[in-house]
């Protein structure tokens, strides 16, 4: 029997790798390896056929059985390792999610602790001014000063009162804005009418100037004729004087 000199890695299609895993796993072949190795060594070193040795068929059967047990245990170990790896990956993923949520919650808690309410930055009237100017119905709706909700309800009442005041001022601003827009519109209309009247007066002034110029020309015509007639006798008299 020629033994191989090198052992190649098993093929993925090796039937031993595809063996089904039985429900009760076989026992480990480790205790049987030493006697099997001793029998194989005795069979190889035997020099005569008369020596009693284990037949080669029995040895090969024992080798196959040990190999099958080893491969089944190896396949089971691989399956268990894969399952453990998947479980570990799931645990690691859940751990990362928990760490992320923990970090996010801590950030939110820090933001909440550092949060400054907007009403604290508002210029609200003092409590005395509010109590002196608030309606009786609002004051009667407040709980007693010994109550734990008094400060909270008082702040809410102050904010609501300030909101009503702001709405009143906004309504006044809107009303003034409407009046301003109306005045601007009226001013534009008056300016348009004034421009139209100005154009009309300009045309009327030009027409009046033209008429006045014509009247002046007409008024100047008789005076020029009279001057011509008076100058003619004077010239005649001067001629007679010269001739005499």
């Amino acid at each position: 029997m020629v033994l191989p000199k090198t052992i190649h890695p098993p093929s993925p299609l090796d039937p031993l790798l595809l063996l089904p895993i039985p429900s009760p796993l076989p026992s480990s072949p480790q205790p049987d390896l030493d006697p099997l190795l001793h029998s194989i060594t005795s069979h190889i070193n035997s020099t005569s056929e008369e020596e009693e040795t284990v037949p080669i068929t029995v040895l090969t059967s024992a080798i196959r059985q040990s190999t099958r047990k080893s491969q089944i245990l190896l396949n089971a170990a691989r399956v268990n390792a894969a399952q453990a790896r998947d479980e570990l990956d799931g645990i690691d993923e859940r751990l990362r999610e928990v760490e992320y949520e923990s970090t996010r919650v801590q950030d939110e808690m820090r933001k909440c602790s550092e949060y400054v309410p907007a009403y604290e930055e508002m210029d609200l009237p003092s409590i005395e001014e509010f109590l002196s100017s608030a309606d009786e119905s609002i004051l009667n709706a407040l709980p007693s000063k010994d109550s734990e909700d008094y400060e909270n309800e008082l702040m809410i009442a102050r904010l609501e009162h300030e909101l009503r005041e702001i709405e009143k001022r906004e309504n006044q601003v809107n009303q003034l804005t409407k009046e301003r827009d109306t005045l601007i519109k009226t001013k534009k209309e008056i300016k348009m009418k004034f421009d139209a009247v100005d154009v009309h007066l300009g045309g009327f002034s030009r027409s009046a100037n033209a008429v006045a110029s014509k009247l002046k020309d007409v008024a100047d015509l008789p005076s020029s004729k009279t001057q011509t007639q008076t100058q003619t006798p004077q010239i005649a008299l001067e001629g007679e004087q010269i001739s005499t």
Side-chain angles (χ1 to χ4, degrees):
M1 178 179 179
V2 179
L3 296 177
K5 296 181 179 180
T6 58
I7 299 177
H8 298 283
S11 172
L13 301 178
D14 191 345
L16 293 177
L17 296 177
L18 303 177
L19 287 175
I21 300 175
S23 177
L25 293 176
S27 60
S28 175
Q30 186 68 31
D32 300 333
L33 291 180
D34 291 337
L36 181 60
L37 180 61
H38 179 71
S39 299
I40 293 173
T41 304
S42 300
H43 185 81
I44 293 173
N45 294 331
S46 63
T47 56
S48 63
E49 296 180 357
E50 295 180 356
E51 294 182 1
E52 294 182 0
T53 58
V54 180
I56 188 64
T57 55
V58 176
L59 292 176
T60 54
S61 177
I63 292 173
R64 289 193 185 95
Q65 186 176 3
S66 298
T67 304
R68 186 174 290 104
K69 287 182 180 180
S70 301
Q71 193 63 47
I72 289 174
L73 294 176
L74 180 61
N75 293 343
R78 288 175 178 173
V79 171
N80 293 332
Q83 293 177 354
R85 189 180 298 108
D86 293 339
E87 184 178 358
L88 181 61
D89 291 340
I91 294 173
D92 183 68
E93 183 178 358
R94 291 194 296 271
L95 178 61
R96 291 178 184 275
E97 291 177 356
V98 171
E99 290 178 350
Y100 171 77
E101 290 296 330
S102 176
T103 304
R104 188 180 65 83
V105 170
Q106 290 177 0
D107 292 340
E108 293 297 330
M109 292 174 62
R110 179 180 53 80
K111 291 179 181 179
C112 291
S113 62
E114 296 176 356
Y115 174 73
V116 178
Y119 63 83
E120 292 185 0
E121 299 178 356
M122 295 176 61
D123 188 12
L124 294 175
S126 62
I127 298 177
E128 291 77 10
E129 293 178 358
F130 169 73
L131 295 176
S132 61
S133 61
D135 296 334
E136 291 295 333
S137 59
I138 297 176
L139 298 178
N140 294 331
L142 294 175
S144 61
K145 294 184 178 181
D146 298 334
S147 176
E148 296 180 355
D149 298 333
Y150 177 75
E151 296 293 336
N152 187 26
E153 294 295 332
L154 179 61
M155 179 58 69
I156 293 174
R158 292 174 63 191
L159 292 174
E160 291 178 350
H161 177 73
E162 186 66 19
L163 177 61
R164 287 191 292 270
E165 293 296 327
I166 291 173
E167 290 176 350
K168 289 180 182 179
R169 288 193 289 269
E170 287 181 351
N171 292 331
Q172 293 176 358
V173 170
N174 293 332
Q175 185 65 28
L176 292 174
T177 303
K178 290 180 181 179
E179 293 178 359
R180 183 199 63 183
D181 295 339
T182 303
L183 292 175
I184 291 174
K185 183 178 180 181
T186 305
K187 181 180 177 181
K188 288 182 179 179
E189 292 177 354
I190 293 173
K191 187 176 183 301
M192 291 174 63
K193 292 179 180 179
F194 178 78
D195 293 340
V197 172
D198 190 16
V199 172
H200 180 70
L201 290 176
F204 179 77
S205 177
R206 288 191 296 272
S207 300
N209 291 332
V211 171
S213 178
K214 294 294 183 182
L215 292 175
K216 184 178 180 182
D217 294 340
V218 172
D220 291 341
L221 290 177
S223 61
S224 61
K225 289 181 179 181
T226 305
Q227 290 178 0
T228 304
Q229 291 176 359
T230 55
Q231 289 176 358
T232 302
Q234 290 179 358
I235 293 171
L237 291 174
E238 291 177 356
E240 291 178 355
Q241 291 177 0
I242 292 171
S243 61
T244 56

